[in-house]
Amino acid sequence: MLSTSPFRAPRGVAGLKAVNIMATTTAATACSLDNYLVLPDTSVDERIAAARRALGEECVILGHHYQRDEVIKFADFRGDSYKLSQQAAQAEGQYIVFCGVHFMAESADILKRSRQQVILPDLSAGCSMADMAEIGQVEDCWEQLVELGLTSDSGDRLTPITYMNSSAAIKAFCGERGGLVCTSSNAAGAFRWAYAKAPKAFFLPDQHLGRNTGYAMGIPLSDMVTWDPYLPLGGLAPEKLRAARVILWKGHCSVHQRFLPEHVDRVREKYRGIRVIVHPECRWEVCQKADALGSTEKLIKIVREAPPGSQFAIGTEIHLINRVAKENPDKRVITLDDSGCLCTTMFRISPQHLCWALENLAEGNVVNRIVVKDEVKYWARVALDRMLEIQ
Ligand code: SF4
């Protein structure tokens, strides 16, 4: 029987993190972060470089494209979450310092070798989208789908796919039920993989990436439904769920969702001939109006390979747009909206946090270590490995 509970309350995020993930600090002798946060940005450059030199090959710094310039300039490798997960799997040093957000550091901890340790310079660097799919909510949803006869505990008839931007617990949930992880670079491959196994896909947590990917693969909007975790049965009629080919989780990126269709119209009016290129975390209506969409890496490539004089309005995070503009001075590169959308959680990684983490490592103090518990790690690794195998 389906539950008649009118409201499926999420289980506590704090509780989940306490159970599944540990962030540890060898605090006894660690230098205090407070002493670093008062330092001006420029004064820590030399100290970061010195600590980096002292650590030598024992340390690799990974930097996400959305990081600020003052931080990304110290990265040994920069990339989007897909590229950085590959780098984490291949890294040799003992310490992987991840200048990104929490779910990325977790993925690195799952993919790294056993002797390595993953450090997130600021533990408050989370992701609002990842927080929109809490494991208790997802388990409740799945239970309801099982009760409806749409799947089973093992995931036959419905393949779960989670975007990289999700907690390790969600990745493990998908791995255990025959599903996988994807990024914006390989979401279409993940859909193909899923449909080779089952007639339906369950995509979380980003409804927009799921919808844009499904639509580009020829699935009409009428065959996709959106599950609201705050409503009984996701706010959907059973017959709608039975008919759907894709069940999308109602989550979004608070940065990319800010771009609107009218921004596309306005920028085209203002700059004749400008090309609009957007990330698929943007709304479907924005993606439909755009000239092209793609992962962060793809957006960079489109601009880099365009002839001099080309004009682009980009719908993604502002630090990346500003960097692409700087690296392509022969082209006009602007943000799609007027103000520019900033990922405030990525911004939490400051040069001061990086300096603090590196100097502590050089002193032998491991601070802000991200540790995913073994029982979560096993199935999350299965889901990530399936992703790394697809095209
Ligand atoms: S840009 Fe959006 S999806 Fe990416 S880390 Fe920030 S909030 Fe999360």
Side-chain angles (χ1 to χ4, degrees):
M1 284 289 289
L2 281 172
S3 166
T4 52
S5 162
F7 184 81
R8 298 247 173 186
R11 290 167 195 165
V13 173
L16 164 76
K17 285 188 176 152
V19 169
N20 292 322
I21 299 144
M22 294 180 287
T24 61
T25 299
T26 53
T29 52
C31 316
S32 164
L33 177 60
D34 292 344
N35 297 337
Y36 287 75
L37 295 180
V38 293
L39 299 171
D41 277 9
T42 45
S43 73
V44 293
D45 277 12
E46 261 313 304
R47 289 174 61 172
I48 292 173
R52 186 69 197 78
R53 276 195 302 277
L55 287 160
E57 294 190 349
E58 282 307 320
C59 174
V60 62
I61 302 176
L62 304 181
H64 191 272
H65 285 305
Y66 298 168
Q67 290 290 308
R68 46 175 118 171
D69 287 352
E70 308 87 84
V71 169
I72 200 106
K73 68 184 177 188
F74 292 106
D76 298 301
F77 298 101
R78 68 169 82 163
D80 60 11
S81 57
Y82 179 66
K83 206 165 153 186
L84 293 180
S85 67
Q86 289 176 312
Q87 288 296 346
Q90 292 159 13
E92 295 288 351
Q94 189 187 345
Y95 304 118
I96 299 172
V97 176
F98 214 119
C99 297
V101 291
H102 200 271
F103 72 80
M104 297 175 186
E106 282 186 333
S107 296
D109 186 61
I110 294 162
L111 292 166
K112 68 167 178 55
R113 291 151 222 245
S114 58
R115 76 179 189 93
Q116 295 175 310
Q117 303 184 53
V118 177
I119 318 297
L120 183 65
D122 185 350
L123 292 178
S124 66
C127 165
S128 56
M129 178 198 288
D131 291 345
M132 287 177 198
E134 196 275 313
I135 187 65
Q137 294 176 306
V138 176
E139 285 169 349
D140 282 349
C141 165
W142 194 266
E143 203 180 293
Q144 292 174 78
L145 297 175
V146 170
E147 286 169 357
L148 205 57
L150 295 183
T151 186
S152 68
D153 285 338
S154 60
D156 61 335
R157 287 166 283 153
L158 178 67
T159 310
I161 308 170
T162 188
Y163 190 22
M164 181 66 105
N165 305 22
S166 57
S167 69
I170 299 292
K171 292 182 177 80
F173 175 94
C174 292
E176 197 172 358
R177 287 159 186 79
L180 77 169
V181 178
C182 76
T183 68
S184 52
S185 317
N186 59 20
F191 266 73
R192 283 192 290 275
W193 189 94
Y195 283 122
K197 287 184 76 231
K200 283 176 187 286
F202 174 47
F203 191 92
L204 68 160
D206 185 14
Q207 57 170 311
H208 299 306
L209 177 63
R211 188 175 293 114
N212 288 322
T213 305
Y215 191 79
M217 295 175 72
I219 301 172
L221 293 185
S222 54
D223 286 1
M224 299 190 237
V225 292
T226 309
W227 180 281
D228 184 339
Y230 294 97
L231 294 173
L233 211 58
L236 298 160
E239 57 276 15
K240 277 246 174 204
L241 280 159
R242 286 199 185 92
R245 290 173 65 196
V246 187
I247 300 171
L248 302 165
W249 190 261
K250 194 176 179 188
H252 63 266
C253 164
S254 43
V255 177
H256 290 92
Q257 190 164 279
R258 284 177 54 193
F259 295 107
L260 301 171
E262 47 268 39
H263 292 145
V264 181
D265 298 336
R266 254 184 252 151
V267 83
R268 282 193 176 130
E269 265 169 39
K270 197 162 171 192
Y271 302 97
R272 186 179 289 268
I274 199 162
R275 289 185 69 202
V276 174
I277 58 176
V278 302
H279 194 281
E281 285 173 23
C282 293
R283 297 162 195 268
W284 179 82
E285 295 82 355
V286 172
C287 291
Q288 287 305 299
K289 282 189 170 239
D291 295 295
L293 55 156
S295 65
T296 309
E297 291 293 333
K298 187 172 168 191
L299 298 177
I300 294 170
K301 190 165 180 271
I302 290 173
V303 177
R304 193 189 296 137
E305 292 178 354
S310 303
Q311 305 183 81
F312 292 96
I314 309 183
T316 192
E317 206 274 343
I318 191 65
H319 285 93
L320 172 72
I321 298 171
N322 288 341
R323 197 167 302 124
V324 171
K326 217 183 286 174
E327 289 168 358
N328 292 271
D330 55 344
K331 297 156 201 168
R332 184 195 296 274
V333 178
I334 58 172
T335 177
L336 177 56
D337 73 336
D338 289 334
S339 50
C341 295
L342 165 84
C343 178
T344 51
T345 49
M346 286 271 184
F347 196 71
R348 288 190 178 151
I349 307 285
S350 65
Q352 291 81 356
H353 284 94
L354 180 59
C355 184
W356 170 74
L358 292 176
E359 287 191 347
N360 268 294
L361 289 179
E363 296 266 317
N365 304 318
V366 179
V367 291
N368 285 7
R369 182 179 172 197
I370 300 298
V371 182
V372 178
K373 283 198 166 182
D374 287 345
E375 58 270 29
V376 176
K377 197 175 269 186
Y378 176 82
W379 284 112
R381 171 96 206 201
V382 169
L384 280 163
D385 282 344
R386 286 176 183 146
M387 174 192 81
L388 293 171
E389 281 161 22
I390 60 168
Q391 294 304 309

